[in-house]
Amino acid sequence: MTAANQTPTFSDGRTVPDHRLSRILNAQSVAVVGASSDPAKISGRPLAYMLARGYGGQLFPVNPSRSEIQGLPSYPSLRDIGHAVDLAIIGTAAEHVENIVREGIEAGVGAFVVFSSGFAEMGVAGRDMQRRLGELARDSGVAIVGPNCLGVANSQTGLIASFTTALESTGLRSGRFSFVSQSGALGAYWLDIVLRSGTGFSQWITTGNECDVDAAEAIDFLVDDPSTEVIGLYIEDIRRPAAFRAALQRAAVAGKPVIAIKSGRSSAGAAAAASHTGALAGDDALYDACLHQYGALRVDSLTEMMDAARIFLHRATPSGPKLAVMTVSGGAGVLIADACEPLGLALPALAPATVDALAPVLPSFVHPANPLDITGNVLQDTGMIGKALRVLATDPGIDGIVLFIGMMHSIADFFVQALSEARRHIDRPIVVVWIGAMESSIHALEAAGVPVFLDIPQAVRALAQSLHVQRVRPSACAAQLSAPGLGAVSLAASPISEFDGKQLLRSCGAIGLPRGHLLAVDAIDTVPELLRYPVVAKLQSAKLLHKSDAGAVILPIHDEIALGAALRQLRAIGERLNIPLQGVLVEEMVPFDHELLLGLRRDDRFGAVLTLARGGIEAELAADVTSRLLPLSADEIEAMLRSLRVGRLLEGFRGRPAADIPALASRLARLCAWFESQPLKELEINPLAVCAGQAWALDALVSPLAAS
Amino acid sequence: MTAANQTPTFSDGRTVPDHRLSRILNAQSVAVVGASSDPAKISGRPLAYMLARGYGGQLFPVNPSRSEIQGLPSYPSLRDIGHAVDLAIIGTAAEHVENIVREGIEAGVGAFVVFSSGFAEMGVAGRDMQRRLGELARDSGVAIVGPNCLGVANSQTGLIASFTTALESTGLRSGRFSFVSQSGALGAYWLDIVLRSGTGFSQWITTGNECDVDAAEAIDFLVDDPSTEVIGLYIEDIRRPAAFRAALQRAAVAGKPVIAIKSGRSSAGAAAAASHTGALAGDDALYDACLHQYGALRVDSLTEMMDAARIFLHRATPSGPKLAVMTVSGGAGVLIADACEPLGLALPALAPATVDALAPVLPSFVHPANPLDITGNVLQDTGMIGKALRVLATDPGIDGIVLFIGMMHSIADFFVQALSEARRHIDRPIVVVWIGAMESSIHALEAAGVPVFLDIPQAVRALAQSLHVQRVRPSACAAQLSAPGLGAVSLAASPISEFDGKQLLRSCGAIGLPRGHLLAVDAIDTVPELLRYPVVAKLQSAKLLHKSDAGAVILPIHDEIALGAALRQLRAIGERLNIPLQGVLVEEMVPFDHELLLGLRRDDRFGAVLTLARGGIEAELAADVTSRLLPLSADEIEAMLRSLRVGRLLEGFRGRPAADIPALASRLARLCAWFESQPLKELEINPLAVCAGQAWALDALVSPLAAS
């Protein structure tokens, strides 16, 4: 048995989790292929970094032209090392990589990190080489990170399989924050920030072109990594959406917040992303939905990521949106209240008992309120800080405390001491905003587990974001993840006619259909009986998708004479259009209170997606739309409905008739489940007419999946 | 002639502008009343600060119990100094202030800065003392800053009439940024930030309780101050809105951007502000309107203020929204594009000539595009930086350049050099985002006039904000400021009936009124002739303001029989309501395309205000409203209409009929001018029916001003 096959253990004896990536991140022996004696060169840096930072495992430089590199014996090849190593780092020219990996696999190497560029990002030949590398990984079972990546690092073991310059001048610093990045550059910036800020990190994984190991697998590894508490993520495109969703869900269940930057939000950004990675940028709204519904936080910058992460790392997430704010300046209290309101955070009145208990603690001229201005008097009476915090923490209506300090360097130590004690003895989370804080105060507070922000908006935003993660987690944990047919490109056949689509929909049973008749084109002089007026008449053809635009929908029709005229008019339109006609659908008009748009489609990346929106022109004036990935429970659909602005109309706004939202959500949940079982590419119901708990498909556009 | 009456000049011989506050900020002699020998005490700090920082004027400690203070001869009283000083600083107990000021005025003191608290912020007695202080100032013509303020400072002369701790450990640093603050605390934080960041400042004025000198006068002073280029502002409440508007307008005309924090944006914040300053918090939307329309930038935090200020101070405002983005990492380019789009900044395609000229400058595998990824190759070919910048600057479709750098410390000097040169030779503004920048690089670039941001969103937001100021300035300069009746509390008499209101409106002539008849209640069996059906019938009473809620509006009425029934029904409702009835207004129904809400009112603070909003339930679902202070030109009203979401409907959205927006705006401008000439408190037209260039008041609620 080689070293690589032993169950790896941490230095404290804990067993390393059984995960394919453990072989990489917890490697106990590392070979560096093409290692250089020059510690400044890309191929010299990993060795130099690990030697300088005390990596505890074995290191094997591989370079046939030297016998010794950076003080270590050098080997001509991976095979010549004489036993299997856990990890081989490869940074040679692209064309040599495949052979080196083959040789390594034969020599029992457990995994590879490939820095080399010149693969899929460089055209057809590179794509072929990359594909073969991926096949090698799958056939042999070894894990390959890269190619075209900046490598990985583990602060716990000192493993630095990377040439990032972010480690040039800073030592490793252990922390509980880990990062997965599809961009080496963003990965390096993140590393630089966590090392210089003192936050530190646990694992750092850049996945590059992802021939084998991808972001989803890296997240999955971090969920099991005992040293990781918060997971950062930079993604441009995900290749295995089902695995990605499963990893996010596992993180949510494990209570490890995921904070993600997904680039390509804008149309310009999406275009740039496409040319950058060669990967097609995904539909941004679906990424948004995916991250949101699994409780991951989407942020726009590394700064925002760090702000949110510090709330999580210090377990400073309030238990709800109600904050007590304590300040040394009245103006700051107002600014904090201003920042809280639009983000859904509240500053409730203090309980009478709190007010009574605060009075003796505060100067006589201060009326205890929220925000609570303890005034500059704190300079004379520093004991006030801890006393007031302890009283605020007893208020049953308070979910968390924000303390604002401005400069006050002369009593900085008192603040640090009072807050450190409060952190130990108070069960409410505390966040500090300290404008003009000294670095020593910040470090002391962060070391004591109190997050410090240098201005108000950053703190308030991070608090609001942390609450989102808190809120979403239970539903993410509840959802069963089934992902039928994900990842496969599902081509649509041509759409079918409204009439045929509605026949399909009838088999679902969840959504009502107006009573109607299909009249053959050559028999439309026969006015249908049994229908109640008013009715609508619509020309039917699989080739006629935008009926209204073609004038092929006539309504309202109030009597038989008008109907006869309408039918003749539609026949004339059909003849003029010169398309195969199925007939004319005559339907009773359904009275309704609300008009929605419903879309169900199989996205090539994310699988089935439900989109709900306001119907009609209003939705176009101001987007009022929400999308979520299936499967979805009735509760989740109810939340979607209520999240729309039109949700207020559904709730019965200003005396308008209300819809029965739970009943409606339950119908839509049945529709979603039915859709997943059907060979359909897309189903659009627009409008979906709603009245109380009833819903009717007034029109339906259905595209079956192409027969495979 | 005393020294205080000489025309003050700067050390370089320039004459100090003739402004009341010059006597304070450019004081050449300063007395400190109650000066302490202890430089750590509030009453010792101003002297200590000025002595240590080389204030060039004369200093006179005033303290009857000492003969010498901090090495200077001490005087028993202001009178005993023997000649008039420009400025006296007072920090004694509140009850002594009035007498000291009286004595100072008699001794020829030119102005006062009063630190003392215990005035309006402390109840009735304090309010009285403060009122008397204000009267003293007005009667004598001297300027008084404070009371309850942190004082003022001028970095040019070394004047520090303040006890702020922000100056404890940092020297004065001259800059071109000045600040006016109604909060001493926020003032201190600002000072701390500009001193530590190296931005420096010119003038710093905290106005405290504003018994005399207020924020408006301070801004007005800074407009004339040659060393001030950008004005920062923290306000909670303004006392002289007309003067405030005039000062903002002068700043706009002078091309000095104003960046304002106005606290109390939220309802919770407004409540806290009211208890904090004793000043009623203003209507936040009107502050918003006021700042916006005079081209001042409203920001939410000091951090945001500093970001915007650095763009202005370095004259890095792009000439338009089209940016070229150059990066050392593709991922960052995408993130910048993502950040730009929602803020209205565009990354247009490069001109063909630019692409051709870039090709030889860049590595062969880079395709010149926007964003332009010059890649990590720049590490080997640093000359690329300057060359690429120069080419980008020749693109005629580019208004500004953003350069993104990540770390790259090994070639930091090349970046600094290339950017410094570009700043001198390129006519396009350049902004740098440098994640992980070293402090030395930041300082070198800022010294060279290139603003540096540490992350993407901050830079993009500041750029977008600077463009707003650029855009608004011309219209602010064009507007004639007339502010009739500002500041006086204008009470409304009771509203009058719709019919009476419409008679008033008829005299304006700008807005159409439906043809109609007022039927006497006892004669309503007589159906009016000459009206075309359909009509609407509305009960009229000055006591019936919400007619629809009372069922007192019946529509549509299609014929004489229905009208008769409606009239009888309205009479019955009138009898049941038991209010004095004016009659029933029967009006023809006007067909229209669009429905707006128009409000004109005289605000107690800001004077006449126009509010335009979408009519009906939609506006309540999602706010779609804009307010601006009068006077307003037709162009400005047109911009208001187009800024609404419903503006897209007015423009003819999706084939809907368009309104003639310029014609509509011209009518509304006439209505506004008419409103200013009328003794009206409020006029609400809801709905305002719009069809092409026509507008009809379908309902009108008019409140005259109470007879004074």
Side-chain angles (χ1 to χ4, degrees):
Chain A
M1 193 190 237
T2 65
N5 287 333
Q6 287 166 12
T7 303
T9 55
F10 289 111
S11 49
D12 61 4
R14 283 177 300 158
T15 304
V16 169
D18 176 28
H19 192 285
R20 211 167 71 109
L21 299 197
S22 268
R23 200 73 188 272
I24 300 178
L25 273 310
N26 298 306
Q28 296 181 343
S29 51
V30 179
V32 182
V33 181
S36 164
S37 294
D38 182 350
K41 282 205 171 152
I42 286 180
S43 51
R45 279 191 216 150
L47 268 187
Y49 285 156
M50 286 191 271
L51 288 170
R53 284 158 183 84
Y55 168 61
Q58 293 173 284
L59 290 172
F60 302 96
V62 174
N63 188 331
S65 61
R66 295 187 172 260
S67 62
E68 184 243 281
I69 288 173
Q70 298 190 33
L72 295 172
S74 171
Y75 298 81
S77 72
L78 286 170
R79 194 178 300 112
D80 292 312
I81 294 172
H83 63 89
V85 294
D86 285 340
L87 173 63
I89 300 173
I90 305 176
T92 60
E95 60 268 28
H96 301 312
V97 172
E98 187 177 342
N99 281 339
I100 295 168
V101 169
R102 276 185 201 286
E103 182 195 307
I105 291 170
E106 281 164 23
V109 172
F112 299 86
V113 166
V114 181
F115 300 157
S116 321
S117 58
F119 287 85
E121 81 281 9
M122 283 296 221
V124 177
R127 259 202 300 279
D128 281 350
M129 286 200 296
Q130 182 171 320
R131 183 181 41 73
R132 288 198 301 273
L133 221 48
E135 286 165 3
L136 266 178
R138 274 181 291 284
D139 293 349
S140 66
V142 303
I144 303 181
V145 173
N148 191 28
C149 76
L150 204 55
V152 307
N154 176 347
S155 73
Q156 316 286 318
T157 65
L159 172 85
I160 306 173
S162 176
F163 58 96
T164 176
T165 56
L167 285 165
E168 252 171 10
S169 49
T170 328
L172 287 184
R173 187 189 286 265
S174 286
R176 295 160 287 135
F177 192 14
S178 292
F179 195 57
V180 176
S181 180
Q182 289 184 330
S183 155
L186 269 288
Y189 308 154
W190 181 91
L191 197 54
D192 181 58
I193 292 169
V194 295
L195 292 177
R196 283 192 299 126
S197 69
T199 300
F201 77 102
S202 173
Q203 312 287 349
W204 177 79
I205 306 169
T206 69
T207 56
N209 286 7
E210 301 190 344
C211 78
D212 174 36
V213 173
D214 63 5
E217 188 172 11
I219 298 167
D220 189 68
F221 167 74
L222 294 175
V223 171
D224 294 329
D225 176 47
S227 62
T228 296
E229 291 183 13
V230 179
I231 301 170
L233 190 58
Y234 172 85
I235 49 171
E236 296 176 346
D237 179 38
I238 53 162
R239 285 157 178 83
R240 299 183 304 138
F244 183 71
R245 292 168 68 175
L248 289 184
Q249 181 160 329
R250 286 194 67 227
V253 172
K256 297 193 178 184
V258 175
I259 312 171
I261 298 174
K262 158 71 178 76
S263 75
R265 196 188 268 279
S266 64
S267 48
S275 66
H276 173 52
T277 60
L280 273 173
D283 178 348
D284 193 70
L286 298 191
Y287 274 102
D288 227 36
C290 177
L291 292 167
H292 180 95
Q293 76 193 90
Y294 291 101
L297 189 62
R298 184 168 180 182
V299 296
D300 288 325
S301 66
L302 289 173
T303 308
E304 203 183 331
M305 179 182 285
M306 292 307 302
D307 286 343
R310 288 183 309 119
I311 298 277
F312 293 127
L313 290 168
H314 292 312
R315 302 178 192 286
T317 304
S319 53
K322 288 172 288 179
L323 302 179
V325 172
M326 181 168 136
T327 72
V328 299
S329 129
V334 180
L335 291 175
I336 293 173
D338 286 352
C340 281
E341 192 172 78
L343 298 180
L345 300 174
L347 276 61
L350 300 176
T354 312
V355 172
D356 292 347
L358 278 172
V361 172
L362 301 173
S364 59
F365 58 87
V366 170
H367 177 70
N370 190 13
L372 177 69
D373 180 7
I374 61 172
T375 78
N377 263 45
V378 69
L379 288 162
Q380 279 79 53
D381 176 10
T382 51
M384 197 195 297
I385 307 163
K387 289 180 202 155
L389 282 175
R390 277 195 296 278
V391 175
L392 284 178
T394 63
D395 192 306
I398 295 302
D399 301 318
I401 299 173
V402 176
L403 171 61
F404 175 92
I405 313 169
M407 306 195 303
M408 300 227 162
H409 301 152
S410 64
I411 58 165
D413 290 345
F414 291 99
F415 277 111
V416 170
Q417 196 192 331
L419 283 160
S420 305
E421 258 177 46
R423 181 70 177 79
R424 284 194 300 274
H425 301 114
I426 288 177
D427 66 349
R428 297 294 195 294
I430 302 178
V431 165
V432 169
V433 180
W434 197 333
I435 290 191
M438 294 182 295
E439 250 184 57
S440 56
S441 308
I442 299 172
H443 286 155
L445 284 175
E446 295 266 346
V450 179
V452 182
F453 294 85
L454 292 177
D455 206 347
I456 293 166
Q458 294 84 324
V460 171
R461 180 180 61 187
L463 280 169
Q465 288 174 331
S466 72
L467 268 171
H468 158 73
V469 172
Q470 187 109 312
R471 257 196 304 271
V472 172
R473 195 172 300 159
S475 85
C477 299
Q480 284 286 333
L481 180 65
S482 74
L486 287 183
V489 173
S490 46
L491 288 173
S494 299
I496 56 180
S497 74
E498 172 189 356
F499 178 79
D500 291 343
K502 283 181 169 173
Q503 297 314 306
L504 258 180
L505 203 48
R506 194 176 301 280
S507 71
C508 162
I511 303 293
L513 297 164
R515 290 203 329 138
H517 284 289
L518 181 70
L519 304 185
V521 180
D522 50 8
I524 62 175
D525 292 329
T526 319
V527 168
E529 290 173 20
L530 295 171
L531 289 183
R532 264 176 307 198
Y533 290 96
V535 296
V536 53
K538 301 179 270 190
L539 200 58
Q540 298 293 301
S541 165
K543 297 290 174 202
L544 182 61
L545 302 184
H546 303 290
K547 296 189 287 287
S548 295
D549 295 351
V553 176
I554 297 177
L555 88 178
I557 298 167
H558 287 285
D559 54 35
E560 197 168 313
I561 295 168
L563 178 56
L567 294 174
R568 283 187 296 278
Q569 191 181 334
L570 289 174
R571 180 161 56 186
I573 289 171
E575 281 166 4
R576 202 172 59 241
L577 290 172
N578 194 22
I579 50 175
L581 297 177
Q582 188 180 26
V584 172
L585 180 60
V586 179
E587 285 183 337
E588 291 183 359
M589 289 184 71
V590 178
F592 58 88
D593 298 326
H594 305 281
E595 189 179 333
L596 298 177
L597 178 153
L598 179 149
L600 276 160
R601 73 178 194 278
R602 285 196 153 78
D603 179 72
D604 293 343
R605 186 182 317 265
F606 286 104
V609 179
L610 171 65
T611 298
L612 291 171
R614 185 163 189 189
I617 199 169
E618 290 305 332
E620 298 188 54
L621 278 182
D624 190 20
V625 56
T626 175
S627 292
R628 291 285 177 267
L629 312 184
L630 269 54
L632 288 166
S633 68
D635 284 351
E636 286 167 314
I637 294 172
E638 182 173 337
M640 288 174 75
L641 287 167
R642 292 191 196 276
S643 76
L644 293 171
R645 279 199 308 281
V646 74
R648 291 179 67 195
L649 286 180
L650 296 175
E651 285 165 359
F653 186 62
R654 302 268 293 166
R656 301 270 179 112
D660 180 343
I661 299 181
L664 177 60
S666 162
R667 286 183 181 279
L668 299 187
R670 281 164 60 204
L671 179 69
C672 287
W674 173 82
F675 181 82
E676 287 197 282
S677 72
Q678 299 292 309
L680 298 180
K681 171 72 175 175
E682 190 160 9
L683 159 65
E684 185 177 282
I685 302 178
N686 183 20
L688 178 76
V690 173
C691 187
Q694 303 297 318
W696 289 272
L698 299 194
D699 197 353
L701 183 61
V702 174
S703 301
L705 284 173
S708 56
Chain B
M1 193 190 236
T2 64
N5 287 332
Q6 289 167 8
T7 303
T9 54
F10 289 111
S11 50
D12 61 3
R14 282 177 301 158
T15 305
V16 169
D18 176 27
H19 193 285
R20 212 166 72 105
L21 299 197
S22 268
R23 202 72 189 271
I24 302 178
L25 273 309
N26 297 308
Q28 296 182 342
S29 51
V30 180
V32 182
V33 181
S36 164
S37 296
D38 182 348
K41 281 204 173 155
I42 285 180
S43 50
R45 278 190 216 151
L47 269 186
Y49 285 157
M50 285 192 271
L51 288 170
R53 283 159 184 84
Y55 168 61
Q58 292 175 285
L59 289 172
F60 302 96
V62 174
N63 190 331
S65 61
R66 295 186 173 260
S67 61
E68 184 243 283
I69 288 173
Q70 298 190 35
L72 295 172
S74 171
Y75 298 80
S77 73
L78 286 170
R79 195 179 298 115
D80 294 311
I81 294 174
H83 63 91
V85 295
D86 285 341
L87 173 64
I89 301 172
I90 305 176
T92 62
E95 58 269 28
H96 302 311
V97 171
E98 189 178 341
N99 282 339
I100 295 168
V101 170
R102 274 186 204 285
E103 182 194 307
I105 290 171
E106 281 162 23
V109 172
F112 299 85
V113 166
V114 182
F115 299 156
S116 320
S117 57
F119 287 86
E121 81 281 9
M122 281 297 219
V124 177
R127 258 203 299 280
D128 281 348
M129 287 200 295
Q130 182 171 321
R131 186 181 38 73
R132 288 199 301 276
L133 222 49
E135 285 164 4
L136 266 179
R138 272 181 292 283
D139 294 348
S140 65
V142 303
I144 304 181
V145 173
N148 190 29
C149 78
L150 205 54
V152 307
N154 176 346
S155 73
Q156 315 286 318
T157 65
L159 172 85
I160 306 173
S162 175
F163 58 96
T164 176
T165 56
L167 285 165
E168 250 169 12
S169 48
T170 329
L172 288 184
R173 188 190 286 265
S174 286
R176 295 161 285 137
F177 193 14
S178 292
F179 195 56
V180 176
S181 180
Q182 289 185 331
S183 155
L186 268 287
Y189 309 154
W190 182 91
L191 197 54
D192 182 59
I193 292 169
V194 294
L195 292 177
R196 283 193 298 125
S197 68
T199 300
F201 76 104
S202 172
Q203 313 286 348
W204 177 79
I205 306 169
T206 71
T207 56
N209 287 8
E210 300 190 345
C211 78
D212 175 37
V213 173
D214 64 3
E217 188 172 10
I219 297 167
D220 189 66
F221 167 75
L222 294 175
V223 172
D224 294 328
D225 177 48
S227 62
T228 297
E229 291 183 14
V230 179
I231 300 170
L233 189 58
Y234 172 85
I235 50 171
E236 296 177 345
D237 180 36
I238 54 163
R239 286 158 178 82
R240 299 183 304 138
F244 183 71
R245 291 168 67 176
L248 289 184
Q249 183 161 328
R250 287 193 66 227
V253 171
K256 297 192 177 183
V258 175
I259 312 171
I261 298 174
K262 158 70 179 75
S263 76
R265 196 189 269 279
S266 64
S267 48
S275 65
H276 173 51
T277 59
L280 274 172
D283 179 347
D284 193 71
L286 297 193
Y287 274 102
D288 227 37
C290 177
L291 292 168
H292 180 94
Q293 76 193 87
Y294 291 101
L297 189 64
R298 184 167 181 182
V299 297
D300 289 325
S301 67
L302 289 173
T303 308
E304 204 183 330
M305 179 182 286
M306 293 307 303
D307 286 344
R310 289 184 307 118
I311 298 277
F312 293 127
L313 290 168
H314 292 313
R315 304 178 190 285
T317 305
S319 52
K322 288 171 289 178
L323 301 178
V325 172
M326 181 167 134
T327 72
V328 300
S329 126
V334 180
L335 291 174
I336 293 173
D338 287 352
C340 282
E341 191 171 80
L343 299 178
L345 300 174
L347 276 62
L350 299 176
T354 312
V355 172
D356 290 348
L358 278 172
V361 172
L362 302 172
S364 58
F365 58 86
V366 170
H367 176 70
N370 189 13
L372 177 68
D373 180 8
I374 61 173
T375 78
N377 262 46
V378 70
L379 287 162
Q380 280 79 52
D381 176 11
T382 52
M384 198 194 297
I385 306 163
K387 289 180 201 156
L389 282 175
R390 277 195 295 280
V391 174
L392 285 177
T394 62
D395 192 306
I398 295 303
D399 302 317
I401 300 173
V402 176
L403 171 60
F404 175 92
I405 313 168
M407 307 196 302
M408 299 225 163
H409 301 153
S410 63
I411 58 164
D413 292 344
F414 291 99
F415 277 109
V416 171
Q417 195 192 331
L419 284 160
S420 305
E421 259 178 45
R423 181 71 178 76
R424 285 194 300 275
H425 300 115
I426 288 178
D427 65 348
R428 298 294 197 295
I430 302 178
V431 164
V432 169
V433 180
W434 196 333
I435 291 191
M438 293 181 295
E439 252 184 57
S440 56
S441 308
I442 299 172
H443 285 156
L445 283 175
E446 294 266 346
V450 179
V452 183
F453 295 85
L454 292 176
D455 206 348
I456 293 166
Q458 295 85 323
V460 171
R461 181 179 60 185
L463 280 169
Q465 288 173 332
S466 72
L467 268 172
H468 158 73
V469 173
Q470 185 110 313
R471 257 196 305 269
V472 172
R473 196 173 298 158
S475 84
C477 299
Q480 283 286 333
L481 179 64
S482 73
L486 288 182
V489 173
S490 46
L491 288 173
S494 299
I496 57 180
S497 75
E498 172 189 355
F499 179 77
D500 292 344
K502 283 182 169 173
Q503 296 315 305
L504 259 180
L505 205 48
R506 194 176 300 280
S507 71
C508 162
I511 303 292
L513 297 164
R515 292 204 325 139
H517 286 286
L518 181 70
L519 304 185
V521 179
D522 50 10
I524 62 173
D525 291 329
T526 318
V527 167
E529 290 175 20
L530 296 170
L531 289 183
R532 265 175 306 195
Y533 291 96
V535 297
V536 53
K538 299 180 273 189
L539 200 58
Q540 298 293 301
S541 164
K543 298 288 175 204
L544 183 60
L545 301 183
H546 303 290
K547 298 187 287 287
S548 294
D549 294 352
V553 175
I554 297 178
L555 87 180
I557 299 167
H558 286 284
D559 54 36
E560 199 169 311
I561 295 168
L563 178 57
L567 294 175
R568 283 189 295 278
Q569 191 180 333
L570 289 175
R571 179 158 59 186
I573 289 171
E575 282 163 6
R576 202 171 59 240
L577 288 173
N578 194 23
I579 51 175
L581 296 178
Q582 187 181 26
V584 172
L585 180 60
V586 180
E587 286 183 338
E588 291 183 0
M589 290 185 70
V590 179
F592 58 88
D593 298 326
H594 305 281
E595 189 179 332
L596 299 177
L597 178 152
L598 178 149
L600 276 160
R601 72 178 196 278
R602 284 195 154 76
D603 180 73
D604 293 343
R605 188 184 314 266
F606 286 105
V609 180
L610 170 66
T611 299
L612 291 171
R614 184 162 191 189
I617 199 169
E618 291 305 329
E620 298 186 56
L621 278 182
D624 191 19
V625 56
T626 175
S627 293
R628 291 284 177 268
L629 312 184
L630 269 51
L632 288 166
S633 67
D635 283 352
E636 286 166 315
I637 294 173
E638 181 173 338
M640 287 174 76
L641 287 167
R642 292 190 196 275
S643 77
L644 293 170
R645 281 200 305 282
V646 73
R648 291 179 67 194
L649 286 181
L650 296 176
E651 285 165 359
F653 185 62
R654 301 269 294 166
R656 301 270 178 113
D660 181 343
I661 299 180
L664 178 60
S666 164
R667 287 182 181 279
L668 299 186
R670 281 165 59 204
L671 179 69
C672 288
W674 173 82
F675 180 81
E676 285 198 284
S677 72
Q678 299 292 308
L680 298 180
K681 172 72 176 175
E682 192 160 7
L683 159 65
E684 186 177 282
I685 302 178
N686 183 19
L688 178 76
V690 173
C691 186
Q694 304 296 318
W696 291 272
L698 299 194
D699 197 353
L701 183 62
V702 174
S703 301
L705 283 174
S708 56

